[in-house]
Amino acid sequence: MDLQTFFNIAGGVALFLYGIKLMSEALQFIAGDKMRQLIGTLTKTPLRGIFVGILVTVLIQSSTGTTVMTVSFVNTGLLNLNQALGIIMGANIGTTVTAQIIAFKIEAFALPLVFFGVFLSIFAKKKQITYLSSGIIGLGLLFMGMQTMSSATHVISRHKDMLLILSQNPITGVLAGMILTILIQSSAATIGLTMAVASQGLIGLDAAVPIILGDNIGTTLTAIVVSMGASRPAKQAAAGHVLFNLIGTIIFLFAFPLYREIILWSSPDIDRQIANAHTIFNVLNTVIFFPFISLLAKFISRIIPLRPEDKPEDVMYLDPKLITISSASAVEAVKDELLHMGDVIHRMFDVIRTTFFEFDESKNEERRKKFDNLEDTVNKITRAISSYSSEIWQRGVSDEISTVLGCYVNASLDLERIGDRAENLIERCDVMNNYLSDEAIEEFRDMYETTCQAIDTSLSSIKNENSEQAWHVIRDLEKKIDGQEKTYRQRHIDRLNRGECDPEKGVNFITLLSNLERIGDHSNNIAGYTLDILALNKKA
């Protein structure tokens, strides 16, 4: 192969991959917040996982990307193995859409598509039109890449011995497809290159189909790499991807004559036959395996058994790999981390409750140490969310996703301030138990429980995107806290005047009430972010 031919093929592959990248980014931008909501449904049943896997893969134009996301979700505990296997099966089906698109004989429209896309982008005034133009340019570049690869593959005709081996030995074809996909890191590009060679009459269906089967094995490598250094459940998910494609390939090799007849019956065109071979394999493989998902999960669990995990990280869900795959999935990870932060805040208030209302001086040091560790975790998560979100924004996201991300970041800052207020509370625990009347303690308990309810309800509203919960915080709980603070402050001043509470230390009770009132304000802010997100969803 001369240097010019090599660069023609390599350039064709590069155009093809860049076209897919542009299409993927355009689809994700157009989908906007709907993509984020779709990602949020991943923690459901395996059957729903299949449909979600298909849709996400179509949107991001990469089964590898969907699988890497899935492994990441398993690693952080958002998915179990059964759910992950369903999504992986769906991703395998979703990736066949690209093959079906490139099987259309529209290379002649490649340059007109690029022209039309560029024309749109120049005169576009709305961002949605700009995203659409990028997608059209990407589609044009994809077909230009196919055209370039096809025109350069004539040189392969000089290596007829190699082509004969591929035709006569399916195992060799499987290995060739697997190695090529590992090198290119794109199953779609491998299929496109196979179509380009087949369309020139250089290989027939008997050689092309094993390459497609090997392509399905080669695409599992990325998931394996991602799972290295990850948790055991993540390794299990990656193993499931490998076994699903490997066992499926073995089954279809044994049933090759029947498989071949179905492909020949599906279309007379070699390009469409190759695309159909890819689709038929992944659809039938899913149909075969789906009833046995639980058995497959149990088998994988025996091969890679779980073991007692090390101490969990303070930051659980912010996987950097998600940012490069899908901004929507990365934003969903920020939401999960925000809710994790809320759990830590909840534990901080549990410590305060036991310290104040189950007073035991011998346990104060132990409780304060536990509280300090939790507060340190809250600070770490806040910094991590800010840093991670900055990376998402730097990569560029749609206005809708950017707004949602901003709400999550602001909510994390309010949670951090709640943590700071909580520290102010626990520093004054001695006031509660040594210098206040029983009446003052009961008033504090009453307002404290209302405040905790406001925190929990605001976080629940943002988790479930529930307007009723958000309005309950804003209209009811926040006003109740304000009223309690005003009433209990005046009652305490009256007690101080009557000498029922220590006049020097007892005045700190007012500071306690003030801190609870400010915590109510921050809870009110979090509930407001929920309403902002819901308003955005209505516009979408």
Side-chain angles (χ1 to χ4, degrees):
M1 183 187 296
D2 59 65
L3 195 61
Q4 183 62 45
T5 303
F6 170 78
F7 280 122
N8 284 346
I9 294 176
V13 171
L15 280 173
F16 185 94
L17 292 175
Y18 188 62
I20 289 179
K21 181 177 182 292
L22 283 179
M23 287 174 60
S24 169
E25 290 175 349
L27 285 168
Q28 289 186 62
F29 275 121
I30 291 170
D33 197 52
K34 291 184 178 66
M35 175 71 173
R36 181 191 63 84
Q37 294 173 48
L38 183 62
I39 297 293
T41 67
L42 289 177
T43 55
K44 303 295 181 182
T45 64
L47 181 60
R48 181 175 290 188
I50 289 176
F51 290 109
V52 172
I54 293 170
L55 290 172
V56 171
T57 303
V58 169
L59 284 172
I60 70 174
Q61 288 291 294
S62 171
S63 62
T64 299
T66 304
T67 303
V68 169
M69 282 166 48
T70 303
V71 171
S72 175
F73 290 147
V74 172
N75 185 49
T76 54
L78 288 175
L79 293 174
N80 61 39
L81 185 55
N82 285 28
Q83 294 162 340
L85 291 174
I87 295 166
I88 288 168
M89 290 176 181
N92 279 22
I93 296 173
T95 194
T96 66
V97 172
T98 307
Q100 292 294 340
I101 291 172
I102 61 181
F104 288 104
K105 303 284 188 180
I106 57 173
E107 285 87 349
F109 294 98
L111 285 174
L113 282 169
V114 173
F115 168 78
F116 182 61
V118 172
F119 181 82
L120 268 182
S121 68
I122 291 173
F123 295 100
K125 294 183 179 179
K126 295 184 178 179
K127 286 195 174 183
Q128 291 291 96
I129 302 299
T130 303
Y131 303 147
L132 177 63
S133 67
S134 294
I136 293 171
I137 293 170
L139 184 62
L141 291 178
L142 184 149
F143 284 110
M144 283 181 66
M146 281 293 299
Q147 196 172 35
T148 305
M149 285 189 285
S150 296
S151 63
T153 52
H154 64 86
V155 71
I156 300 177
S157 62
R158 302 171 195 168
H159 304 281
K160 291 184 178 179
D161 293 341
M162 180 188 71
L163 298 177
L164 189 62
I165 292 172
L166 290 177
S167 299
Q168 292 178 342
N169 191 340
I171 302 299
T172 307
V174 170
L175 291 173
M178 183 175 68
I179 293 169
L180 188 59
T181 303
I182 290 171
L183 291 174
I184 301 177
Q185 283 292 290
S186 170
S187 59
T190 299
I191 294 168
L193 193 55
T194 304
M195 285 182 181
V197 175
S199 64
Q200 298 297 313
L202 301 176
I203 60 172
L205 189 64
D206 289 346
V209 171
I211 294 174
I212 301 305
L213 293 176
D215 161 84
N216 283 280
I217 299 173
T219 196
T220 65
L221 177 70
T222 306
I224 296 171
V225 172
V226 168
S227 70
M228 291 179 178
S231 65
R232 303 283 282 188
K235 290 182 172 66
Q236 289 178 341
H241 191 208
V242 174
L243 287 174
F244 175 64
N245 284 0
L246 180 60
I247 295 172
T249 297
I250 293 171
I251 292 171
F252 276 75
L253 283 176
F254 275 110
F256 190 80
L258 177 61
Y259 181 35
R260 182 178 183 277
E261 286 303 313
I262 295 173
I263 297 166
L264 288 171
W265 171 81
S266 69
S267 175
D269 178 70
I270 185 65
D271 283 358
R272 184 63 62 189
Q273 287 173 351
I274 292 171
N276 290 346
H278 192 216
T279 301
I280 291 166
F281 168 77
N282 284 294
V283 172
L284 289 183
N285 202 30
T286 297
V287 171
I288 292 168
F289 271 89
F290 182 73
F292 307 103
I293 279 184
S294 296
L295 289 176
L296 180 61
K298 288 179 182 177
F299 176 70
I300 294 168
S301 297
R302 285 182 176 273
I303 299 173
I304 308 174
L306 298 179
R307 61 190 181 192
E309 296 292 336
D310 296 329
K311 180 181 179 293
E313 295 292 330
D314 293 329
V315 180
M316 293 178 62
Y317 301 109
L318 305 182
D319 190 336
K321 292 182 283 292
L322 292 177
I323 298 175
T324 60
I325 296 166
S326 166
S327 56
S329 64
V331 170
E332 197 64 24
V334 173
K335 177 182 179 180
D336 292 324
E337 197 63 57
L338 173 67
L339 296 174
H340 169 225
M341 187 178 180
D343 289 337
V344 178
I345 290 287
H346 184 86
R347 282 149 55 197
M348 288 172 69
F349 276 80
D350 283 343
V351 174
I352 293 173
R353 182 180 286 107
T354 54
T355 303
F356 274 46
F357 306 125
E358 299 173 21
F359 185 72
D360 185 340
E361 196 166 352
S362 65
K363 294 182 179 179
N364 274 2
E365 185 177 348
E366 177 188 342
R367 288 169 175 171
R368 184 57 196 261
K369 184 177 180 182
K370 181 179 180 181
F371 181 92
D372 289 343
N373 288 337
L374 291 170
E375 190 201 14
D376 185 53
T377 299
V378 167
N379 293 334
K380 286 179 181 177
I381 294 174
T382 306
R383 290 193 295 269
I385 286 177
S386 296
S387 176
Y388 190 82
S389 300
S390 295
E391 290 186 48
I392 297 173
W393 274 312
Q394 285 170 14
R395 288 188 63 84
V397 292
S398 66
D399 289 343
E400 294 87 354
I401 290 180
S402 179
T403 299
V404 172
L405 180 58
C407 288
Y408 293 154
V409 172
N410 288 334
S412 72
L413 295 175
D414 275 292
L415 278 178
E416 183 191 30
R417 293 184 185 108
I418 287 174
D420 293 339
R421 295 290 173 180
E423 184 179 23
N424 291 342
L425 293 177
I426 204 166
E427 285 176 348
R428 291 167 173 81
C429 69
D430 64 318
V431 176
M432 287 292 295
N433 296 284
N434 296 314
Y435 304 103
L436 296 177
S437 65
D438 290 341
E439 184 182 4
I441 291 173
E442 284 308 309
E443 288 173 351
F444 177 80
R445 187 196 299 271
D446 184 36
M447 188 172 175
Y448 180 84
E449 295 302 336
T450 307
T451 304
C452 288
Q453 186 184 357
I455 298 170
D456 292 343
T457 306
S458 65
L459 286 168
S460 182
S461 77
I462 212 164
K463 176 183 179 180
N464 303 312
E465 296 187 1
N466 187 305
S467 61
E468 289 184 11
Q469 291 178 322
W471 281 118
H472 180 48
V473 174
I474 295 169
R475 290 173 176 166
D476 304 323
L477 295 176
E478 206 272 334
K479 289 182 179 178
K480 183 178 179 181
I481 291 169
D482 288 346
Q484 287 174 326
E485 193 270 342
K486 184 177 180 180
T487 301
Y488 297 157
R489 176 194 292 265
Q490 185 57 52
R491 287 182 185 177
H492 190 64
I493 291 172
D494 293 340
R495 283 192 295 270
L496 289 174
N497 290 334
R498 294 194 300 268
E500 295 175 12
C501 294
D502 184 280
E504 183 180 350
K505 295 287 186 179
V507 74
N508 281 310
F509 180 76
I510 295 174
T511 304
L512 292 175
L513 297 181
S514 177
N515 276 283
L516 290 178
E517 190 273 332
R518 294 302 301 274
I519 290 170
D521 291 341
H522 293 301
S523 300
N524 183 77
N525 292 343
I526 294 170
Y529 302 136
T530 298
L531 296 179
D532 290 343
I533 293 170
L534 288 169
L536 183 69
N537 292 346
K538 286 183 180 179
K539 288 181 182 179

